[in-house]
Amino acid sequence: MTPPPTRPLSSSLAPATPVRRRRVHYFSGFDPRGAGHYHRLFSQQGERPQPGGGSITTGARQRIGEMFHRWTVDWQPAAPAASADDAAVRTEHVFMSWDDIIRRHWSRQPLALLREFAAVQVAMMRDVGLRRVHALHPTALLTALLPLLWLVATLLVGGFVIAAMSALPLTALGDTGLVAVATGVGLALSGMLISLGAQAGLFWLMRIYHFILCMGRGQVAGMDERVQEWVEHVIERQSADPVDEVVLAGHSVGTLVMVEAVDQLLRDPRWQALQAGRRTAMLTLGQCYPCLALLPGAESFRHALLRLSRHPDLVWLDVTARIDPMCFFSTAPLAGTELAEQAGPLPRRRAASFFQMYDPLHWAAIRRDKLQAHFLYLMTPDRPGNFDLFAMLYGPRRFEQQLVETRRR
């Protein structure tokens, strides 16, 4: 099947007109901390010197009904605007809440975590296949296996300590006392290793993979209804308060949950009328599409991805980074699936060169914290590079225009 022709970026009517008001609908990753945390994060990063110039001021967070939060972001040029393209921009940042769903899937009991861990390992080996994941991205496979490897290593270390100490010739303690002391030391060491794993985000990873497994099996209660609420909210906001540009942005697992919403939005006649020939902008950061797309039960998800990849009225930029161990770096969303050869030209993939955007000491600290590396997309870098989230979401250039300008560099 030959994909339909896609309009060149420069053919859209939108880039010819300046942006003065924008709306960003943001889908967070699998993070129970919700809108308050992300408002603080974006506010703090906006206060940093912007490598692309200009300054950012973030307003107070406001609740919109039960499911949404908003705040304003004002971009100002560093000096009086030399042209109309560099004038001030106001962006409404809308947080598309689903942290209530996340918290329902955030298991805290050890036995529940263990059951989820076992279910994920079985599904990865039986339903997906380790070779398929390795063929797409070896680092992603290693990340998926890391919780298992850590657990096995913890059990081995604890067992070795118990066995070694039990064999020591400490007659003063007696056999029973020696075994008790050895067991206590072994368990304490195992507990310390488990705590270190938790600090490194391994339990978070386990929860993420189990949630994705539930998505693939259609076992996320309320998700379909939430997608409908998201679509309605996007349409209602643009109908009630039209802006020059709407950007749909997602990070990590947020890139998965937003797929059905964007697919339904693009097919809605009301949205098509509101856009009036303008393309819809979609930005995905640190995606892990194959984690879900490779699951046998995720047929609806795969077909939604296929439609998005071929949609002529969508501008979709997918940004990943080699340092991020939790993304599928530079991997097509449908890679490894039966629909891979039918996929269209979208998304346009970009490898963020974060190593060029940070001072050496700062970069050395980032490399030691792989969990932080997964959030680099949401940070203000030290120096200009080939990706700047805050310039893209809040600056004076249209989303589509920025893609054209970056490609020409």
Side-chain angles (χ1 to χ4, degrees):
M1 182 183 295
T2 303
T6 300
R7 286 186 288 160
L9 286 174
S10 58
S11 71
S12 174
L13 299 175
T17 57
V19 176
R20 294 296 169 264
R21 297 182 64 233
R22 177 188 288 113
R23 183 172 295 113
V24 173
H25 293 273
Y26 177 75
F27 301 79
S28 73
F30 192 78
D31 190 339
R33 292 174 291 186
H37 168 75
Y38 283 92
H39 176 252
R40 289 189 296 273
L41 174 63
F42 280 97
S43 298
Q44 292 166 0
Q45 294 301 313
E47 290 172 357
R48 296 192 63 201
Q50 299 299 306
S55 63
I56 289 175
T57 303
T58 304
R61 176 170 59 95
Q62 301 173 336
R63 180 182 287 274
I64 310 175
E66 292 296 322
M67 292 293 112
F68 305 95
H69 299 257
R70 67 176 291 274
W71 55 86
T72 57
V73 182
D74 291 309
W75 182 91
Q76 296 285 345
S83 67
D85 289 341
D86 293 322
V89 181
R90 167 159 285 195
T91 299
E92 179 187 38
H93 188 117
V94 181
F95 187 85
M96 310 294 276
S97 296
W98 65 293
D99 45 289
D100 57 319
I101 295 176
I102 295 170
R103 284 190 288 272
R104 290 201 296 268
H105 287 263
W106 193 270
S107 298
R108 297 183 181 275
Q109 298 300 321
L111 287 179
L113 280 170
L114 192 60
R115 285 195 299 269
E116 293 175 0
F117 172 77
V120 168
Q121 298 301 319
V122 170
M124 187 165 56
M125 296 178 187
R126 184 188 63 192
D127 299 337
V128 177
L130 301 184
R131 290 184 179 180
R132 291 176 71 191
V133 180
H134 183 271
L136 292 178
H137 192 40
T139 302
L141 174 62
L142 178 60
T143 301
L145 291 175
L146 197 55
L148 173 62
L149 298 176
W150 191 271
L151 179 61
V152 170
T154 298
L155 294 175
L156 289 176
V157 168
F160 175 79
V161 168
I162 292 172
M165 289 190 65
S166 298
L168 292 175
L170 299 177
T171 56
L173 293 175
D175 292 342
T176 303
L178 182 58
V179 170
V181 170
T183 301
V185 173
L187 290 176
L189 182 58
S190 297
M192 183 178 67
L193 290 175
I194 289 175
S195 178
L196 289 174
Q199 293 176 27
L202 295 185
F203 289 170
W204 177 57
L205 272 179
M206 289 167 58
R207 294 181 177 104
I208 286 176
Y209 291 135
H210 187 258
F211 177 79
I212 294 174
L213 178 61
C214 290
M215 285 186 68
R217 293 175 175 177
Q219 297 173 344
V220 182
M223 198 72 240
D224 292 341
E225 293 79 5
R226 188 58 49 88
V227 168
Q228 288 293 331
E229 291 173 337
W230 286 339
V231 172
E232 290 299 320
H233 188 74
V234 173
I235 294 174
E236 288 172 4
R237 290 299 299 147
Q238 184 66 356
S239 299
D241 182 20
V243 294
D244 301 321
E245 179 177 71
V246 175
V247 180
L248 307 165
H251 172 243
S252 189
V253 182
T255 65
L256 304 182
V257 300
M258 72 184 292
V259 165
E260 296 278 0
V262 178
D263 179 49
Q264 292 184 27
L265 181 70
L266 291 173
R267 290 189 285 164
D268 195 301
R270 296 171 297 169
W271 181 249
Q272 295 168 4
L274 286 169
Q275 287 297 86
R278 294 177 299 181
R279 285 169 156 180
T280 297
M282 179 176 175
L283 175 64
T284 51
L285 310 167
Q287 57 88 359
C288 49
Y289 288 122
C291 286
L292 179 54
L294 292 175
L295 291 172
E299 184 176 1
S300 175
F301 178 78
R302 288 192 291 273
H303 281 278
L305 277 178
L306 179 64
R307 286 189 292 270
L308 293 183
S309 76
R310 298 160 57 87
H311 206 292
D313 293 321
L314 180 66
V315 182
W316 178 7
L317 176 65
D318 180 56
V319 182
T320 54
R322 190 179 296 276
I323 191 176
D324 178 7
M326 301 176 199
C327 76
F328 274 75
F329 174 66
S330 289
T331 303
L334 286 167
T337 72
E338 74 280 5
L339 300 178
E341 294 185 0
Q342 302 177 39
L346 297 179
R348 299 177 186 275
R349 299 197 296 273
R350 181 180 302 176
S353 301
F354 287 128
F355 67 94
Q356 297 177 344
M357 304 182 212
Y358 287 90
D359 297 329
L361 289 178
H362 194 177
W363 183 246
I366 291 171
R367 292 188 64 184
R368 290 192 295 269
D369 187 348
K370 296 302 184 183
L371 186 58
Q372 182 186 5
H374 186 55
F375 287 89
L376 283 177
Y377 312 95
L378 311 182
M379 308 295 182
T380 297
D382 298 333
R383 54 174 74 116
N386 70 340
F387 177 70
D388 184 343
L389 178 68
F390 289 80
M392 182 161 282
L393 294 187
Y394 306 136
R397 302 288 190 272
R398 281 187 178 271
F399 186 86
E400 189 168 345
Q401 186 178 356
Q402 293 185 72
L403 266 60
V404 173
E405 291 174 352
T406 303
R407 191 171 59 179
R408 289 173 177 169
R409 290 173 186 169

